[in-house]
Amino acid sequence: MSEKATQKLVETYRGAQSALPGAGGWLARRRETAIDAFTQTGLPHRRLEEWKYTDLRQVLEKAILVPAPAHDGALVLPELHSATAFSAIDRYVLVFVNGVYQPGLSQLAHLSKGAELCALAEVLHEQWAKDIVERRFDDARQAEDIVDLNTALMSDGACLRIRKGVKLDKPLHLFFLGADAGASHTRNLILLENEAEATIFETHMGEVASFADIVTDVALGEGAKLNHVKLQDESSEAIHLSTMRTRLAASSKLSSFTLTLGCGVSRGQNFVLFSGEGAEANVDGAYALKGKQHLDQFCVIDHAVPGCTSHTLFKGVLDGASEGVFQGKVVVRPQAQKTDGRQMTHALLLSRDAAMNAKPELEIYADDVQCAHGSTVGELSKDAIFYLRSRGIPEAEARRLLVLAFLDETLELAPHEDARDALKLLVSDWFSEAGL
Amino acid sequence: MLEIKNLHVTVDGKEILKGIDLDIGAGEVHAIMGPNGSGKSTLSYVLAGRDGYEVTKGSVRFKGKDLLDMSVDERAAAGVFLAFQYPLEIPGVTTMNFLKTALNAQRKARGEEELDAVRFLKLVREKAKPLNVTDDMLKRALNVGYSGGEKKRAEVLQMSLLEPSLAVLDETDSGLDIDALKTVAEGVNALRSPERAMIVITHYQRLLDYIVPDVVHVLSNGRIVKTGGKELAHELEKSGYAGYGADAA
Ligand SMILES: Nc1ncnc2c1ncn2[C@@H]1O[C@H](COP(=O)(O)OP(=O)(O)OP(=O)(O)O)[C@@H](O)[C@H]1O
Ligand SMILES: [Mg+2]
């Protein structure tokens, strides 16, 4: 460990250590191991294959790495489109400002029986929380290593446990607002026991130079079902690092969809591990980037058991001098026969200066499987634009129609109808604002 | 309505139209026939304003205005419509949404009130029915998975909805069975009016039995080499283009 950003983060840990949740308990010891490991490896950099397109070391060099202050005083949630995107949907809301849970802004009345929801500090005495934090997925080591940073510094987060057979009656909305510049380290823990079901919305917004480091650990019991819709609309100075790790027991189902509109530099990691047969994971997303935005989607699906299905489709449009990255891997272990694995990524470049790097990979060690992967990078078809214009549709509108049509295929995969409509509206607005 | 004078057009450095003169008055239907590669589609694209067609000489006036000076969508809003020889497939945009966007864009450009969903739906159903365009087709992505004949009928539906003052039909009859041909011809004839003009590009006199033209032109090697009445189509059907300098194909 020599470089500055790593050092600063380690110092932050040393300074905050005693005040972090779980001091004196198992987590304190776990944090120590994690910070040691992090000190060893340091922040990832471009010489590591998995970080080739996003040099986190360089990105964080100039970032504000000290924790954002606990926000005090009256706070009004922003009235931005993306802030209110889901507000017409009857839902529970858990608000975090600068990474700190805000009971006053949250709406949690009458949570269904059998659903337990609390902030990180309150759950640490529970065995399930310990189990879930201790997990490692191990199929993309250098990508997962960064979780150590979060383990050492995690200070708050949403923890949801749904008991066997219980279905959460309304979506749970985790709303993260960056109100001041600075870092936050969030850990969400989600456990759906056998046959339990839940829908979670996750929004990240803010107009500040925040560094949000989020790890969401999910465990799905047999037959459990999680729908997850994430919306990212932060400022162009924001750095967003998120890792979602989902372990699926037999016949469980994860449907996760991410829409990214606002970010400065964003790295979204998704790890899926199938541990029981007949499970299904859909990890999809859409994005629309402009200016100098940089978005890196990293997705590893591990078919460790037979008979599971995984589908991944990421589609995005890139304008200005923005840059997109998709790195994905579907691993099919020797015993994982009857796997159905698909991973696709398609990008449209709207400007000459925009760029896309796509690298979907398959690693197949079983023979009786159905797997496919692919990626395309293209531009809007001039002929199609001409055809629409020849019917009187102005050029900007023609482009907008074609781009929305392009994104529609993946937006359709967002696993909640009203949320899906809300996302479509946001994307449509994005074009009006981008003035394309 | 349309005055084309000494029009020369180059595509990729190659001269395709070599001095076209064409005068079409309101209410008239002109047929253009001619061998493959003679420049018929090129002429239609130049009128619609497609990129890559460079006018090196000549002029085109539409309703007294310089057509070549207008953008593609301005031309459409001003009343120019091209039924494509090969209509494009547009995945993800439903035919219904496309038609509504197009109609309202044109109305807006002309300073007219846009149609709301209900009025639009009523109108589109009314226009679609005689053309045998089903609700199912309207709900699907524009031209995606349409058969050759369905694509052509969809073009005519667009035309009857947009009610252009100058319609250019580029081989709208090709690929149609005899019933569809009649349906399409009826759709076109329904639009004939003293305020509208039409250019019907075709290889077959058969279409012209249904859409009876006022004037027939033979285009060959980038030039109009003969102009006559509707009987010219019959002559061509018998004798072919030999003798019309048909060396371009
Ligand atoms: N991009 C291009 N570059 C060079 N030549 C071209 C290009 N596009 C068209 N041409 C040529 O222009 C000529 C006229 O083509 P056009 O499509 O207008 O013919 P057409 O009369 O419509 O023929 P058809 O009856 O087969 O539809 C042809 O020789 C064609 O090869
Ligand atoms: Mg042609």
Side-chain angles (χ1 to χ4, degrees):
Chain A
M1 187 250 308
S2 55
E3 106 298 343
K4 262 188 3 216
T6 301
Q7 220 165 339
K8 262 196 251 168
L9 286 162
V10 174
E11 279 162 23
T12 304
Y13 167 74
R14 293 285 170 223
Q17 200 173 359
S18 56
L20 288 168
W26 64 269
L27 183 55
R29 292 188 297 278
R30 185 68 192 81
R31 288 185 195 276
E32 277 298 309
T33 330
I35 202 73
D36 286 347
F38 176 70
T39 311
Q40 284 285 318
T41 54
L43 283 164
H45 48 80
R46 70 171 74 243
R47 291 185 306 283
L48 300 172
E49 186 60 23
E50 289 158 350
W51 295 88
K52 189 168 163 185
Y53 303 103
T54 305
D55 192 322
L56 198 61
R57 198 171 275 193
Q58 202 187 340
V59 169
L60 290 181
E61 208 161 87
K62 289 187 206 88
I64 304 172
L65 298 175
V66 295
H71 199 88
D72 48 6
L75 195 126
V76 184
L77 292 182
E79 278 291 315
L80 300 167
H81 281 330
S82 46
T84 52
F86 300 137
S87 58
I89 302 170
D90 187 20
R91 71 218 196 281
Y92 303 112
V93 189
L94 213 58
V95 177
F96 293 81
V97 177
N98 296 345
V100 181
Y101 174 49
Q102 303 288 323
L105 294 172
S106 303
Q107 302 158 27
L108 287 175
H110 315 299
L111 198 63
S112 4
K113 202 160 168 268
E116 295 152 29
L117 180 63
C118 61
L120 182 69
E122 300 158 48
V123 83
L124 294 174
H125 60 279
E126 301 216 32
Q127 185 63 33
W128 74 269
K130 179 166 192 246
D131 291 345
I132 215 169
V133 167
E134 294 287 6
R135 298 178 316 177
R136 259 204 88 106
F137 282 44
D138 270 329
D139 37 37
R141 241 212 123 84
Q142 291 169 340
E144 203 184 0
D145 276 347
I146 192 64
V147 170
D148 283 329
L149 173 68
N150 185 279
T151 303
L153 279 161
M154 62 190 188
S155 55
D156 212 339
C159 299
L160 175 71
R161 176 189 195 171
I162 309 227
R163 298 283 179 169
K164 195 173 161 195
V166 173
K167 295 172 177 46
L168 193 62
D169 59 342
K170 305 190 249 191
L172 167 65
H173 186 180
L174 308 179
F175 190 115
F176 295 91
L177 175 68
D180 303 279
S184 60
H185 303 272
T186 303
R187 178 71 67 109
N188 302 309
L189 306 177
I190 294 159
L191 170 64
L192 266 54
E193 295 183 357
N194 295 352
E195 310 294 335
E197 292 182 15
T199 294
I200 295 183
F201 303 152
E202 184 184 342
T203 2
H204 295 269
M205 21 189 335
E207 315 233 353
V208 295
S210 52
F211 166 41
D213 160 33
I214 305 125
V215 174
T216 301
D217 277 325
V218 181
L220 301 184
E222 288 178 15
K225 241 169 111 177
L226 176 66
N227 292 327
H228 174 239
V229 179
K230 176 175 169 180
L231 166 63
Q232 200 186 336
D233 197 9
E234 292 166 297
S235 87
S236 56
E237 300 159 294
I239 300 163
H240 186 96
L241 169 66
S242 78
T243 302
M244 179 158 166
R245 299 188 293 185
T246 309
R247 189 185 168 104
L248 291 100
S251 306
S252 63
K253 182 174 174 185
L254 166 73
S255 299
S256 173
F257 185 89
T258 302
L259 173 66
T260 305
L261 297 174
C263 69
V265 175
S266 176
R267 161 93 167 189
Q269 310 196 112
N270 245 300
F271 298 99
V272 169
L273 174 63
F274 289 108
S275 63
E277 297 186 24
E280 182 182 337
N282 302 298
V283 178
D284 306 296
Y287 54 90
L289 305 178
K290 55 193 172 195
K292 291 200 165 122
Q293 291 181 306
H294 175 100
L295 172 66
D296 184 337
Q297 311 269 13
F298 187 94
C299 184
V300 179
I301 316 276
D302 190 346
H303 285 265
V305 294
C308 294
T309 302
S310 72
H311 287 175
T312 294
L313 175 67
F314 276 87
K315 278 183 127 177
V317 294
L318 299 109
D319 195 24
S322 63
E323 194 177 25
V325 179
F326 179 88
Q327 288 195 88
K329 192 160 73 168
V330 177
V331 185
V332 183
R333 308 274 172 194
Q335 66 279 12
Q337 302 296 358
K338 306 283 181 203
T339 287
D340 174 354
R342 232 180 301 164
Q343 196 163 71
M344 298 288 162
T345 166
H346 305 291
L348 266 187
L349 302 181
L350 301 181
S351 109
R352 260 168 213 278
D353 297 325
M356 178 71 197
N357 297 294
K359 220 178 70 181
E361 284 177 277
L362 291 174
E363 243 181 69
I364 305 180
Y365 303 102
D367 45 23
D368 183 15
V369 300
Q370 270 198 314
C371 286
H373 68 148
S375 77
T376 60
V377 180
E379 292 167 22
L380 282 177
S381 148
K382 285 201 177 77
D383 291 343
I385 293 173
F386 169 65
Y387 188 60
L388 297 185
R389 290 184 71 196
S390 79
R391 297 322 186 222
I393 301 173
E395 183 166 8
E397 177 69 10
R399 289 170 69 91
R400 199 178 73 96
L401 262 183
L402 293 172
V403 168
L404 292 180
F406 172 78
L407 291 178
D408 203 59
E409 182 190 6
T410 171
L411 285 164
E412 274 299 319
L413 300 173
H416 184 282
E417 201 182 332
D418 294 337
R420 179 160 64 233
D421 292 344
L423 296 186
K424 285 188 181 185
L425 270 179
L426 284 179
V427 172
S428 176
D429 286 349
W430 183 89
F431 283 95
S432 322
E433 281 160 31
L436 289 169
Chain B
M1 172 85 61
L2 185 73
E3 287 167 73
I4 303 178
K5 284 213 173 79
N6 192 28
L7 183 68
H8 289 251
V9 172
T10 302
V11 183
D12 276 346
K14 186 178 157 203
E15 183 162 70
I16 307 293
L17 299 185
K18 302 168 181 171
I20 303 270
D21 288 289
L22 196 59
D23 224 324
I24 302 181
E28 295 175 5
V29 173
H30 288 225
I32 297 182
M33 306 182 79
N36 296 133
S38 54
K40 303 182 298 293
S41 292
T42 302
L43 177 62
S44 71
Y45 287 143
V46 174
L47 294 178
R50 188 172 199 153
D51 272 352
Y53 293 77
E54 197 196 339
V55 176
T56 51
K57 227 191 264 175
S59 68
V60 181
R61 299 191 76 77
F62 174 63
K63 293 182 184 166
K65 280 195 237 151
D66 183 355
L67 186 72
L68 302 177
D69 218 26
M70 296 157 81
S71 74
V72 179
D73 40 288
E74 280 168 0
R75 295 178 197 202
V80 176
F81 180 92
L82 166 62
F84 283 60
Q85 183 173 2
Y86 305 107
L88 252 79
E89 300 191 0
I90 314 276
V93 180
T94 64
T95 302
M96 196 66 117
N97 183 21
F98 162 75
L99 292 172
K100 182 161 181 252
T101 309
L103 181 64
N104 278 336
Q106 291 204 11
R107 293 180 70 98
K108 195 173 159 194
R110 291 192 295 259
E112 297 163 16
E113 188 198 349
E114 293 181 40
L115 290 189
D116 61 32
V118 177
R119 280 166 67 205
F120 172 76
L121 193 67
K122 191 162 168 278
L123 181 66
V124 99
R125 289 232 170 96
E126 189 184 299
K127 303 280 188 185
K129 197 159 178 245
L131 291 165
N132 290 328
V133 174
T134 58
D135 269 11
D136 175 62
M137 276 171 73
L138 293 171
K139 275 186 219 143
R140 273 152 60 191
L142 182 57
N143 292 331
V144 177
Y146 285 20
S147 73
E150 286 171 343
K151 281 181 186 165
K152 297 299 173 89
R153 279 189 279 136
E155 291 288 291
V156 176
L157 171 61
Q158 293 177 28
M159 178 175 78
S160 60
L161 196 67
L162 297 172
E163 303 184 315
S165 24
L166 173 69
V168 183
L169 299 140
D170 191 356
E171 296 197 27
T172 303
D173 55 334
S174 62
L176 291 183
D177 63 43
I178 188 70
D179 293 331
L181 182 77
K182 281 186 198 160
T183 311
V184 160
E186 278 163 22
V188 173
N189 284 330
L191 270 183
R192 283 184 81 155
S193 90
E195 291 86 49
R196 292 206 178 90
M198 288 183 192
I199 298 174
V200 180
I201 296 171
T202 182
H203 285 292
Y204 305 104
Q205 172 263 324
R206 195 181 60 168
L207 176 71
L208 304 179
D209 285 344
Y210 297 103
I211 307 173
V212 182
D214 300 299
V215 186
V216 176
H217 306 275
V218 178
L219 185 67
S220 177
N221 196 12
R223 288 190 184 90
I224 289 176
V225 292
K226 178 145 183 136
T227 295
K230 59 178 185 277
E231 62 295 337
L232 180 55
H234 288 272
E235 256 171 60
L236 289 168
E237 185 87 0
K238 283 198 211 98
S239 55
Y241 297 113
Y244 294 104
D247 51 323

